[in-house]
Amino acid sequence: MSKIVILTGAGISAESGVATFRDPDGVWAKFNLEDVATPQGFARDPAKVQDFYNMRRRQMGAVEPNAAHAALAVLEQALPGKVLVVTQNIDDLHERAGSRSLIHMHGELGRALCLGCGESSAWVDDITVQSQCPACGAGGRLRPDVVWFGEMPYRMEEIGDALTGCDLFAAIGTSGNVYPAAGFVEEARAAGALTVELNLKCAGWASRFDEQIEGPATEVVPAFVERILSGKG
Ligand code: APR
């Protein structure tokens, strides 16, 4: 196995206690996506949006990486330079598990973006209208450094290069509802990669994969990593 790209979604963090988005008790069942995850919603009511992400940022202190996050870090350490994790998640559980070859295509809860100078800075506390940009000092110009609907995800060129150069593409705990991430399977397949979906319930886009592995991430991901490392690919 030469190059591996792994796409992760909210399902990989579900067993750590981080809610997914589209499951019955998910985030979008409780919050209006238009209000809290669009630039228009932020323009309409910035305090509502800040409250939403401040709540989720605070939650990060109460959750831990799980066996699925840990297994991906082990895979990366066992195959240095051959594994890239592309996550749609804005939590920091992959890093805390030890992943380093990692792209947050939808941004990070732990960063703030200044609308004044454009700088992205590490940020741990609540963002308020008083908050000052660590780079330029401007007050009241910070937003969560999260990619909202209608905005371009980060590092798409790097991701595209990795997809066309991989021979194994796996999607873990994502429903495949949101593009461009939902189109990665076709890019990898077109490059001749084996494509595998790992999900609690393989549905919707599952048929677009060569293989489906069903079960909770904390069970199926460590087994999948073991399979790769044992050379059974
Ligand atoms: N183990 C494995 N998979 C799971 C688990 C689990 N324990 N629990 C849930 N899942 C699966 C669900 O079956 C579902 O397919 O995780 C998936 C979660 O899907 P979504 O809630 O749609 O989350 P995701 O695919 O990451 O959303 C993509 O949409 O809302 C935006 O920007 C947000 O990054 C997010 C993007």
Side-chain angles (χ1 to χ4, degrees):
M1 195 66 60
S2 75
K3 289 271 182 171
I4 303 172
V5 174
I6 300 188
L7 173 69
T8 66
I12 198 170
S13 296
E15 293 160 86
S16 293
V18 183
T20 63
F21 293 95
R22 293 172 186 79
D23 286 314
D25 58 348
V27 173
W28 300 143
K30 299 186 179 108
F31 295 89
N32 178 334
L33 173 161
E34 304 290 335
D35 288 348
V36 297
T38 64
Q40 297 79 4
F42 187 65
R44 262 195 318 273
D45 188 345
K48 176 186 267 187
V49 175
Q50 300 286 23
D51 288 351
F52 174 70
Y53 289 99
N54 288 343
M55 175 266 292
R56 296 180 63 198
R57 192 178 299 106
R58 275 184 240 119
Q59 187 199 21
M60 286 304 103
V63 297
E64 295 295 332
N66 61 47
H69 300 106
L72 295 183
V74 166
L75 182 67
E76 182 188 325
Q77 277 129 35
L79 301 172
K82 298 197 184 312
V83 178
L84 174 66
V85 173
V86 177
T87 188
Q88 298 169 87
N89 300 344
I90 58 177
D91 65 49
D92 62 352
L93 297 178
H94 279 301
E95 294 90 331
R96 286 161 58 189
S99 284
R100 294 294 169 267
S101 174
L102 174 68
I103 294 178
H104 278 275
M105 68 179 292
H106 291 166
E108 298 172 60
L109 273 171
R111 302 193 70 81
L113 186 62
C114 179
L115 298 168
C117 69
E119 279 297 312
S120 171
S121 309
W123 194 274
V124 288
D125 302 320
D126 287 4
I127 298 177
T128 69
V129 285
Q130 283 82 34
S131 300
Q132 287 191 313
C133 169
C136 73
R141 304 301 315 277
L142 294 181
R143 58 166 271 184
D145 191 1
V146 169
V147 177
W148 289 325
F149 288 91
E151 296 183 325
M152 178 52 82
Y154 291 144
R155 300 172 65 181
M156 286 303 296
E157 208 174 318
E158 278 173 80
I159 296 169
D161 293 346
L163 288 168
T164 50
C166 73
D167 49 18
L168 173 62
F169 172 77
I172 302 172
T174 179
S175 61
N177 277 289
V178 176
Y179 282 79
F184 293 170
V185 58
E186 271 78 28
E187 288 182 61
R189 178 189 280 259
L194 172 72
T195 58
V196 183
E197 194 209 5
L198 298 91
N199 197 302
L200 190 61
K201 188 102 199 66
C202 292
W205 68 332
S207 58
R208 290 157 55 195
F209 290 81
D210 299 307
E211 187 183 342
Q212 295 80 26
I213 300 175
E214 208 163 72
T218 56
E219 289 172 20
V220 295
V221 177
F224 182 61
V225 165
E226 214 170 292
R227 180 180 120 182
I228 295 170
L229 296 180
S230 67
K232 297 201 189 83

